[in-house]
Amino acid sequence: MTASRSILKAVLSAAQAEGRGARVRRSIGRPELRNHDPFLMLDEFDVDKNGGFPDHPHRGFETVTYMLEGQFQHEDFAGHKGTIGPGDLQWMTAGRGIVHSEMPVKSQTRAHGLQLWINLPKEHKMCEPQYQELLDNEIPRATPVEGVVIKVIAGESHGIVSKVYTRTPTMYLDFKVAKNKSVVQSIPASYTGFIYMLKGTAYIGDNEFVGKAHHTLTFSEDGAETVKISTKDEDAHFVLIAGQPLNEPIVQHGPFVMNSQDEIYHTFEDYRGGKNGFERAKNWKSSIA
Ligand code: FJE
Ligand code: FE
């Protein structure tokens, strides 16, 4: 019998200002949770109809936007446009370069969701940009026991496999667990991982570490291949995110994440000069910001 991963730390994310009039609860990426290779950032965002994330670039990683409530629009410099609503997913590989705008639909009062930044391995940092977009009803569910519904956004759970292609091996699961349930999730031994609590209370590991809303709970890196999660007198909603660490140098300058200072310098040159993937950045302005 293998033991469950345990929880190393629990960190509360308070809301902070970000973008234009937006509020985020930063999980991974905050000072206490800086190096969680392969993950760079996780924000629980809350944007009202006048806020958002107007025109900005990315290079060298992936942004994964998962909507919880409301409608979010996006538009990029290549003319790629769309709207995602509750339960929908946009898995964007920025690769060598994307410039885009991410804004709530104006008629909505609130857009609430999660945005995860996953680092790319050296050999994929300059790949062609790619979008993988899935509507809520296209994301498969595992229901290992009554009262436990697991949306398999990436990776696998209880025999249900996501069709999302991950250049950095990643598991991304959305758990809705009714009260007084228990579930065991397999995790590859080499993955790092964490739970971000959205609602309610969950008890994690053999010694039932208590996890509450807006807390990030980081997993022990002891090679255990499961994590045990239970609920008691309250339902719980959380995401479980895990991935293969890249163990490569990280040099981040805002929305550019490369392996060396020299590559960051060249990225600034490319962005400013409209080169090497940023050709369409010149004079581009989104129509939604
Ligand atoms: C940003 C660079 C960025 N959290 N949560 C610098 F890319 C961003 C940014 C976001 C973001 C976007 C969404 Cl949709 C959700 C996010 C950061 O776009 F805010 C800064 N300062
Ligand atoms: Fe962005």
Side-chain angles (χ1 to χ4, degrees):
M1 212 202 87
T2 48
S4 166
R5 298 274 187 121
S6 55
I7 298 304
L8 287 184
K9 41 178 171 179
V11 180
L12 172 65
S13 297
Q16 61 189 70
E18 188 54 285
R20 182 204 284 165
R23 307 276 296 164
V24 303
R25 291 179 185 271
R26 182 150 298 159
S27 157
I28 302 306
R30 62 184 302 107
E32 308 93 306
L33 296 170
R34 212 157 266 285
N35 297 304
H36 215 288
D37 189 16
F39 305 109
L40 301 163
M41 190 195 83
L42 176 67
D43 277 358
E44 179 185 0
F45 60 88
D46 236 310
V47 187
D48 71 25
K49 59 180 187 295
N50 302 310
F53 301 92
D55 308 12
H56 62 276
H58 294 282
R59 174 183 275 181
F61 62 102
E62 305 188 292
T63 70
V64 179
T65 309
Y66 179 51
M67 289 307 290
L68 296 168
E69 296 169 81
Q71 308 269 334
F72 222 49
Q73 288 176 279
H74 60 88
E75 179 183 354
D76 80 6
F77 68 166
H80 184 88
K81 259 177 121 155
T83 301
I84 52 174
D88 299 345
L89 178 78
Q90 182 194 65
W91 193 291
M92 182 185 91
T93 305
R96 63 210 302 256
I98 283 281
V99 183
H100 71 168
S101 185
E102 299 160 284
M103 305 296 286
V105 171
K106 293 290 180 237
S107 59
Q108 297 281 319
T109 54
R110 186 189 187 203
H112 177 212
L114 296 171
Q115 188 171 92
L116 175 70
W117 289 9
I118 309 174
N119 203 5
L120 281 168
K122 204 189 305 269
E123 66 270 23
H124 289 295
K125 281 194 178 287
M126 293 296 280
C127 71
E128 281 302 311
Q130 187 199 0
Y131 290 93
Q132 300 177 79
E133 285 164 319
L134 292 178
L135 298 175
D136 181 49
N137 66 19
E138 298 169 319
I139 301 174
R141 268 81 164 166
T143 50
V145 290
E146 201 200 311
V148 177
V149 180
I150 307 168
K151 275 177 76 176
V152 186
I153 294 167
E156 175 174 357
S157 180
H158 297 88
I160 304 295
V161 182
S162 161
K163 63 181 182 200
V164 169
Y165 167 53
T166 59
R167 291 164 175 80
T168 302
T170 303
M171 163 179 263
Y172 191 156
L173 307 172
D174 170 339
F175 280 75
K176 282 191 174 146
V177 183
K179 57 184 155 188
N180 298 314
K181 299 288 173 190
S182 196
V183 59
V184 173
Q185 175 60 48
S186 301
I187 303 177
S190 61
Y191 280 20
T192 63
F194 61 93
I195 280 172
Y196 181 74
M197 293 295 303
L198 291 163
K199 260 190 196 143
T201 307
Y203 299 81
I204 297 135
D206 296 321
N207 44 20
E208 302 202 329
F209 191 99
V210 183
K212 291 188 177 290
H214 311 300
H215 283 75
T216 302
L217 311 163
T218 64
F219 294 157
S220 57
E221 290 167 22
D222 50 13
E225 291 188 292
T226 62
V227 60
K228 184 179 162 209
I229 303 157
S230 308
T231 50
K232 293 185 179 173
D233 50 10
E234 214 184 345
D235 299 356
H237 184 199
F238 56 89
V239 291
L240 186 162
I241 295 170
Q244 178 65 44
L246 302 175
N247 294 313
E248 292 174 2
I250 299 170
V251 181
Q252 174 166 8
H253 201 109
F256 304 132
V257 183
M258 302 302 287
N259 299 118
S260 69
Q261 191 54 53
D262 190 56
E263 288 170 347
I264 289 290
Y265 171 79
H266 285 289
T267 299
F268 275 103
E269 282 210 330
D270 290 346
Y271 181 49
R272 202 156 6 108
K275 295 182 297 188
N276 296 317
F278 286 114
E279 286 77 4
R280 297 169 191 261
K282 281 198 156 179
N283 305 317
W284 179 77
K285 265 194 164 63
S286 79
S287 65
I288 60 174

